[in-house]
Amino acid sequence: MKFLDRASVGQVKETKEGYLVATSRVARVGVQEYYAKELGDIAIEAGFSPNDVVRVYRHPDQVFHKDSLASITRAPATLDHPLKDVDASNWSKLAVGEIGDAYATEPEWIVVSPMIKDAAAVKAARTTHPELSMGYSANIVKARDGLDADFEVSDIRYNHIALVPKARAGDMARIGDSWGVAPLEDSK
């Protein structure tokens, strides 16, 4: 299952070359709410109607797993989410920057400092697209008993970080939540 989750751009600075560097919390542990239709067939098969709100849990062991963290480094930055994953065949058309090699973890968050290099994307980040949204894939399963959630994710692998108008990741992302983001594809 491919997901698009959002967080706001945090501390921002512009380099002498005009690049934008933004330190931001971009992925978090805990529960986030989605519409059932955003999760694809698994939610419908579990008895949810497409517009029902479902709760998806991200365990710290999954968010901070070494393979998850390794996949966030050098991820390309895009302006809005592309329809397909970013790869070598489309990078030159889609990328406007990238996340560097460094990341930090807080008790509930992964923090990165993407660099936006494209002038139009820098302008968008300062005006219409001030928040960041992770595009990633993950396995989704029915939540274990005892969790206050309907589903949980595992095997998180990041593909890109997108500049977007609104965020979903919550209060710590500073600007706020957004609804209506769907998986890129249901790979069930």
Side-chain angles (χ1 to χ4, degrees), residues 139-158:
N139 292 324
I140 185 166
V141 296
K142 192 168 169 73
R144 292 168 281 166
D145 289 340
L147 284 179
D148 188 22
D150 303 300
F151 301 97
E152 57 187 301
V153 296
S154 65
D155 301 322
I156 298 166
R157 299 298 180 268
Y158 297 101

Side-chain angles (χ1 to χ4, degrees), residues 5 10 17 32 40 46 62 73 95 109-110 131 137 143 172:
D5 282 325
E17 297 84 9
Q32 286 190 1
Q62 294 300 316
T73 62
W109 291 89
I110 298 173
E131 297 178 25
S137 62
M172 293 298 290

Side-chain angles (χ1 to χ4, degrees), residues 1 116 131 156 163:
M1 170 84 39
I116 308 305
E131 297 178 25
I156 298 166
L163 292 164

Side-chain angles (χ1 to χ4, degrees), residues 20-43:
L20 189 71
V21 180
T23 301
S24 183
R25 294 177 177 104
V26 295
R28 70 175 172 89
V29 303
V31 175
Q32 286 190 1
E33 295 179 338
Y34 293 80
Y35 289 118
K37 64 186 170 193
E38 294 179 278
L39 301 185
D41 293 339
I42 191 167

Side-chain angles (χ1 to χ4, degrees), residues 45-100:
E45 289 170 2
F48 292 97
S49 296
N51 290 324
D52 286 346
V53 175
V54 296
R55 297 168 50 82
V56 179
Y57 179 67
R58 292 186 186 105
H59 192 281
D61 289 349
Q62 294 300 316
V63 173
F64 301 128
H65 190 278
K66 66 180 176 78
D67 294 335
S68 173
L69 292 172
S71 72
I72 207 166
T73 62
R74 295 288 176 193
T78 63
L79 184 58
D80 291 312
H81 283 288
L83 295 175
K84 296 181 178 181
D85 280 348
V86 181
D87 62 25
S89 72
N90 59 21
W91 178 90
S92 66
K93 293 179 179 95
L94 300 174
V96 297
E98 70 178 23
I99 295 174

